[in-house]
Amino acid sequence: DVYFSADLQWMDYLQQRSLLRAGSRHDLVGNALVLIAPAGTSLRVSIGPGFDLARLLGSGRLAVADPDSVPAGIYAREALQKLGAWNGVASRLVRAENVRSALEYVARGDAPLGIVYRTDALVEKQVRIVGVFPEDSHPPIVYPVALTRHADAAAARYLAFIGSAEAQSIFRPWGFAPLIRRWIRALRCAVPAPRKPGVSIHGHPCDACVAPCPAQRASGKERGFLPEARSAGEAVLRWKAPPRPAAAGHLPVPGCQL
């Protein structure tokens, strides 16, 4: 009933075939790409354009998930290409079947350096993070979540929970970066000035639109006002209405479902 994926291509596959609840997909948390070394190292690396990864490897190899098929390896290759370090290490890779295997190569000392997700590095005590790849060196590492087309009310409540502040506080210690505010902003619409005091759950008075907004429909208060969003999932909870034409002067921005 809920699809939570680390692979954007599979999420896109389901969405393109209308197998997801319209309007329910959003990026819940993000991750970072890091350079790791065995735990006993004193190495610190400032990762940026032109950094000499080949020299740092010495005579060793770089552990990385297979860059031809595994998302973590694909991100690693794209980052190294953008930073100008790929050609120097492309022939010196230990191509692991997944990111956890790459982590284990470094933890056992079989490889002096590896590239993994921050979340994986934080749970392995035998490695340490020696550098963090700049966010703009690779596409955003995000984990989307969505309701399936026939999801029931329990699934919608679960989606509401994992987008809540309580759930986000659970994600953070494990290295995930909550993206809930980014998704709430995507729901906001550019509309005329409010005709009544108060702000709806996603930032505008819904009587400016032809139909009640998804967020207020979700909360059961179609014409009421809430001071702020309590969770990203609240904005899609139980909402099944198709998009409707906008009222005069209502200019939807990307993400607006009205």
Side-chain angles (χ1 to χ4, degrees), residues 188-249:
R188 291 177 179 162
C189 302
V191 297
R195 287 177 256 167
K196 295 180 180 180
V199 178
S200 77
I201 200 169
H202 68 298
H204 73 78
C206 286
D207 60 347
C209 304
V210 171
C213 77
Q216 290 191 336
R217 183 186 296 278
S219 71
K221 299 180 180 180
E222 293 186 354
R223 291 295 177 183
F225 294 94
L226 296 175
E228 61 182 5
R230 289 172 296 192
S231 74
E234 190 171 30
V236 297
L237 187 61
R238 296 191 301 278
W239 182 60
K240 299 180 180 179
R244 301 189 182 185

Side-chain angles (χ1 to χ4, degrees), residues 18-231:
S18 301
L19 296 175
L20 303 178
R21 175 82 58 82
S24 69
R25 174 180 175 174
H26 64 280
D27 295 331
L28 184 67
V29 291
N31 211 335
L33 202 64
V34 299
L35 185 68
I36 59 170
T41 185
S42 60
L43 180 68
R44 293 290 184 275
V45 181
S46 177
I47 299 177
F51 88 110
D52 195 349
L53 181 56
R55 181 184 62 80
L56 294 173
L57 282 174
S59 60
R61 291 180 174 270
L62 178 69
V64 62
D66 192 338
D68 292 330
S69 59
V70 182
I74 294 171
Y75 285 123
R77 179 178 60 195
E78 291 176 336
L80 293 176
Q81 286 175 335
K82 185 164 184 178
L83 297 173
W86 175 251
N87 290 341
V89 300
S91 63
R92 301 175 61 188
L93 303 181
V94 178
R95 293 174 176 254
E97 63 179 352
N98 55 51
V99 67
R100 284 302 181 97
S101 295
L103 184 72
E104 290 174 5
Y105 282 127
V106 179
R108 295 197 305 258
D110 295 334
L113 295 172
I115 299 176
V116 299
Y117 294 132
R118 175 175 57 200
T119 50
D120 292 297
L122 290 177
V123 299
E124 175 52 70
K125 302 304 182 184
Q126 299 305 312
V127 306
R128 70 183 306 170
I129 296 172
V130 298
V132 180
F133 284 83
E135 289 186 3
D136 62 358
S137 67
H138 55 78
I141 301 172
V142 295
Y143 301 88
V145 63
L147 296 175
T148 59
R149 185 171 57 192
H150 301 297
D152 59 16
R157 287 193 295 271
Y158 176 73
L159 184 64
F161 170 73
I162 62 174
S164 68
E166 180 182 359
Q168 297 296 309
S169 68
I170 297 172
F171 283 121
R172 285 191 185 92
W174 297 98
F176 291 102
L179 301 177
I180 182 171
R181 293 187 181 278
R182 182 183 304 177
W183 186 73
I184 291 174
R185 285 198 298 269
L187 284 176
R188 291 177 179 162
C189 302
V191 297
R195 287 177 256 167
K196 295 180 180 180
V199 178
S200 77
I201 200 169
H202 68 298
H204 73 78
C206 286
D207 60 347
C209 304
V210 171
C213 77
Q216 290 191 336
R217 183 186 296 278
S219 71
K221 299 180 180 180
E222 293 186 354
R223 291 295 177 183
F225 294 94
L226 296 175
E228 61 182 5
R230 289 172 296 192
S231 74

